[in-house]
Amino acid sequence: MIWSDPKVMLARRELVLVATILVGIARLVERPDAFLVAGLLPVVMLLAGSAVLHTDELPGRPFESLLIPAVLTGGSAAAMHLVPAGLGLVPALLVFAFALDRVLVLELRLLVQAAGTTDADRARILLASVLTAFVAFTGIAVLVPGGLPEPGSTASDAGLTEAWMLVLAVDDALIALILGSRVASVRYGSARDAIRSGLTYAIVIAVAAGALRAMDVPRLVGPAALTLVFYLWDALHASSPARRREPRFLWETILLAALAVVVVAWNLRLRA
């Protein structure tokens, strides 16, 4: 088994160690600068991971298999700002390292699995994506001023401006696009169908993010609700690629876009 090969295991563990160190360093950065650091870490993870995991047995650059680990790394770097500085960071970093290692083991196995993905494999990828989505949604909300309002406060009281609300919705949508595309890729196999499916995840999450902020849901309720929306959309939208060529898919996309306009107008009216 290639994922248990000593060279591959050593490369995977080195990647986990480097990612954990970088996440720990990102916690030391002040929140305004942490946005940039958390945004760069997924790129670093993709580049470093593709180089580290590149072997004779694993030809090419496995960027697709590193999408979930990359988002998990960037999201964790942001979410770590919820953890007070000190020894409390140690268990949090250990949890991150364990989760990242397990995801990499899963992706490595799928990368060399000749028989294709099974229903159990797809369920594991979905579980990894859902957990990663919660961490990443939480991380974005932590770094955005007013992104995690206290109970009873409004978005205005928390300092969430229209510009930061846009940043929150766009970043959440980008996370959903990446994770949704990865989930869809193991279901359909075609990169084109996966990206098209991922775009619907992005639209749904952007709409949901705007609606939740308009309702001023407190603390971690927002990220948890977005994660639930991500999971439910996957359950409702799981279908064959042929469905995406049906007229209904086009109308579904148009309806989502119209709903997005309504949510934006709602937010602007509440702030007027």
Side-chain angles (χ1 to χ4, degrees):
M1 295 183 181
I2 183 62
W3 63 90
S4 59
D5 180 89
K7 292 182 180 179
V8 176
M9 288 178 63
L10 179 60
R12 189 190 79 234
R13 289 170 180 170
E14 288 178 346
L15 185 60
V16 171
L17 177 61
V18 170
T20 303
I21 292 173
L22 291 176
V23 169
I25 293 175
R27 174 60 183 84
L28 303 177
V29 179
E30 295 297 327
R31 292 196 183 191
D33 298 323
F35 230 115
L36 177 61
V37 175
L40 289 176
L41 279 184
V43 179
V44 173
M45 187 67 178
L46 284 173
L47 296 177
S50 64
V52 169
L53 300 182
H54 176 69
T55 64
D56 294 336
E57 295 82 2
L58 297 175
R61 302 294 182 180
F63 288 111
E64 186 179 79
S65 300
L66 289 165
L67 291 178
I68 297 177
V71 175
L72 179 60
T73 301
S76 297
M80 283 294 170
H81 285 265
L82 275 178
V83 183
L87 292 178
L89 282 173
V90 175
L93 289 173
L94 289 177
V95 170
F96 162 73
F98 176 79
L100 179 61
D101 182 70
R102 292 300 90 195
V103 173
L104 286 172
V105 168
L106 171 62
E107 291 286 13
L108 280 170
R109 181 171 63 81
L110 295 180
L111 195 61
V112 297
Q113 189 167 278
T117 56
T118 64
D119 289 340
D121 293 329
R122 288 188 283 272
R124 293 186 184 99
I125 286 292
L126 176 59
L127 175 60
S129 297
V130 168
L131 294 177
T132 299
F134 176 70
V135 172
F137 291 150
T138 301
I140 294 298
V142 169
L143 295 185
V144 168
L148 289 178
E150 296 295 334
S153 66
T154 64
S156 301
D157 297 335
L160 182 63
T161 63
E162 286 85 354
W164 279 115
M165 182 177 290
L166 179 61
V167 170
L168 183 70
V170 170
D171 284 355
D172 285 342
L174 180 60
I175 291 167
L177 171 63
I178 296 172
L179 296 179
S181 296
R182 181 57 184 139
V183 171
S185 67
V186 296
R187 181 181 296 129
Y188 308 129
S190 167
R192 181 178 178 181
D193 286 318
I195 294 174
R196 291 177 66 183
S197 180
L199 286 173
T200 66
Y201 286 82
I203 297 173
V204 168
I205 290 301
V207 171
L212 289 169
R213 292 310 300 123
M215 292 185 289
D216 295 313
V217 294
R219 301 295 292 171
L220 294 178
V221 175
L226 287 179
T227 305
L228 178 60
V229 170
F230 180 91
Y231 174 79
L232 291 177
W233 181 250
D234 181 81
L236 292 172
H237 206 59
S239 57
S240 64
R243 182 184 181 282
R244 283 156 174 72
R245 293 185 283 271
E246 296 177 358
R248 180 181 174 184
F249 177 74
L250 176 61
W251 286 108
E252 193 176 72
T253 305
I254 294 174
L255 179 61
L256 287 173
L259 185 57
V261 173
V262 171
V263 169
V264 170
W266 183 16
N267 275 282
L268 292 177
R269 181 179 179 183
L270 288 176
R271 291 171 174 273

